[in-house]
Amino acid sequence: DVVMTQSPLSLPVTLGQPASISCRSSQSLVNSDGNTYLHWFQQRPGQSPRRLIYKVSNRDSGVPDRFSGSGSGTDFTLRISRVEAEDVGVYYCMQGTHGPGTFGQGTKVEIK
Amino acid sequence: QVQLQESGPGLVKASETLSLTCTVSGYSITSGYYWGWVRQTPGKGLEWIGSVDHNGNTYYNPSLKSRVTISLDTSKNQFSLKVISVTAADTAVYYCARDGGHWEIDYWGQGTLVTVSS
């Protein structure tokens, strides 16, 4: 299975400041169809995961534009331009290029 | 608006069978997509269990394949999960989810905690 490694695992941030989460895969996530199936999910306390970004950089409907995704190959990044209180939670990357789909360990974002 | 809701026993005895149902509203499960299950534990995090497509074809995580069955009930717009021979390691929050392919999971249920007791 493809191993997804996130860093950091804990990210204390100041309100209004940027935050960045790294996700690395054990093999390239470029699919034979040319797409890269790397997705990002947010899980707020007590809630189900919610998808924020699909295929590296496509933001889901209703997701604030302060969230952005980038990367290629094996290295990917989720950025929050200005952290707000509602952004507290755990963020997961997931790859869907190589079956079975696999998740990263999660990065816990908290307010300093 | 697509909604998914898990239901089933919250407590299962070790060596017995875990059975959960996901009821889908706002979309017909025979119209498309994959319909799957993901579980979450403090130790292993999020783990994809498997899915069924709108034609009833199934796809399982190899790590669980020997114990898992996922199926559709089109008359009720539901799909179900069965895990046989459960152990304490199967204690988890189980989520049902809609997947657009390549694990593009766009809708999740609220999750249901299943505890395996000895």
Side-chain angles (χ1 to χ4, degrees):
Chain A
D1 295 359
V2 175
V3 177
M4 305 298 291
T5 303
Q6 291 183 227
S7 62
L9 298 185
S10 178
L11 183 57
V13 295
T14 301
L15 286 173
Q17 293 300 302
S20 180
I21 300 170
S22 171
C23 174
R24 291 184 173 173
S25 56
S26 59
Q27 56 185 282
S28 174
L29 299 186
V30 180
N31 195 47
S32 56
D33 63 7
N35 289 307
T36 299
Y37 295 99
L38 184 286
H39 321 307
W40 289 96
F41 298 88
Q42 174 196 60
Q43 187 173 32
R44 290 172 171 152
Q47 295 187 12
S48 308
R50 163 203 182 195
R51 195 178 69 188
L52 299 176
I53 303 283
Y54 61 97
K55 289 191 289 186
V56 181
S57 59
N58 297 276
R59 204 166 38 245
D60 273 277
S61 174
V63 174
D65 61 7
R66 64 179 181 274
F67 289 94
S68 63
S70 63
S72 63
T74 60
D75 288 347
F76 304 92
T77 302
L78 176 70
R79 290 187 175 86
I80 310 173
S81 59
R82 295 173 305 279
V83 172
E84 297 189 6
E86 66 178 16
D87 300 335
V88 165
V90 182
Y91 292 77
Y92 298 92
C93 60
M94 181 188 194
Q95 69 82 22
T97 297
H98 306 284
T102 47
F103 293 88
Q105 323 96 298
T107 295
K108 186 174 184 178
V109 171
E110 58 183 12
I111 304 301
K112 282 183 184 175
Chain B
Q1 174 76 345
V2 179
Q3 293 184 314
L4 295 86
Q5 177 70 60
E6 304 88 353
S7 59
L11 187 63
V12 181
K13 292 183 179 178
S15 80
E16 296 188 346
T17 297
L18 178 161
S19 296
L20 295 175
T21 297
C22 183
T23 300
V24 180
S25 58
Y27 191 86
S28 171
I29 61 175
T30 58
S31 294
Y33 288 89
Y34 298 80
W35 304 91
W37 295 90
V38 175
R39 67 183 184 181
Q40 184 171 32
T41 61
K44 292 190 70 176
L46 290 162
E47 180 181 33
W48 176 76
I49 299 170
S51 60
V52 57
D53 70 19
H54 60 286
N55 291 317
N57 300 307
T58 53
Y59 310 85
Y60 299 124
N61 191 322
S63 67
L64 295 164
K65 185 175 183 177
S66 63
R67 299 193 296 124
V68 169
T69 302
I70 297 174
S71 59
L72 296 177
D73 184 340
T74 58
S75 66
K76 297 179 180 179
N77 214 40
Q78 297 174 335
F79 61 103
S80 64
L81 169 71
K82 292 189 189 300
V83 183
I84 65 171
S85 306
V86 297
T87 69
D90 295 306
T91 293
V93 175
Y94 285 78
Y95 295 98
C96 59
R98 190 179 83 165
D99 172 0
H102 287 286
W103 288 272
E104 291 188 41
I105 300 171
D106 59 356
Y107 287 97
W108 298 68
Q110 66 181 31
T112 187
L113 173 63
V114 179
T115 301
V116 177
S117 67
S118 55

